[in-house]
Amino acid sequence: SRKRNKQSLWRHAYRTYETMKQLELDQRREIENNGGVLSSSKMVIRRHVVHFEAALVSCSKLGLWREALSIYDDVLSVVEEQ
């Protein structure tokens, strides 16, 4: 594919992950503030393994190692919640 080695594609993948992370956190806060118990059925946006893997690959290709470690920590926290 023509876009295989394009940094702009990797940056886009990382930005998309960060946006998704922020939306998920906002969603959690809203559910908790409304007195609701946090349940996965109420969550509209949830990150899955595919999202973490794409973000980790894009960070590694861009050389963003600190961000990659923070994503790895996010994976561990999501696994602990389940």
Side-chain angles (χ1 to χ4, degrees):
S1 154
R2 292 177 298 144
K3 292 188 176 184
R4 183 171 229 158
N5 293 320
K6 300 285 183 176
Q7 287 190 0
S8 60
L9 183 65
W10 302 330
R11 277 190 233 108
H12 175 71
Y14 179 63
R15 278 195 314 267
T16 302
Y17 170 81
E18 284 295 316
T19 303
M20 190 175 197
K21 177 182 175 182
Q22 189 59 45
L23 288 172
E24 183 180 352
L25 293 175
D26 292 344
Q27 206 170 250
R28 285 174 184 259
R29 265 188 246 115
E30 185 177 330
I31 289 171
E32 290 172 355
N33 288 341
N34 290 337
V37 177
L38 184 64
S39 68
S40 60
S41 63
K42 291 183 179 180
M43 303 260 315
V44 177
I45 296 176
R46 286 178 286 195
R47 293 171 291 166
H48 296 286
V49 174
V50 176
H51 303 112
F52 291 118
E53 286 178 355
L56 283 170
V57 168
S58 63
C59 283
S60 67
K61 290 192 179 259
L62 291 169
L64 303 173
W65 300 108
R66 289 183 182 156
E67 287 82 357
L69 286 174
S70 72
I71 292 169
Y72 182 73
D73 290 338
D74 289 345
V75 171
L76 294 178
S77 67
V78 167
V79 168
E80 287 176 0
E81 286 179 7
Q82 295 176 352

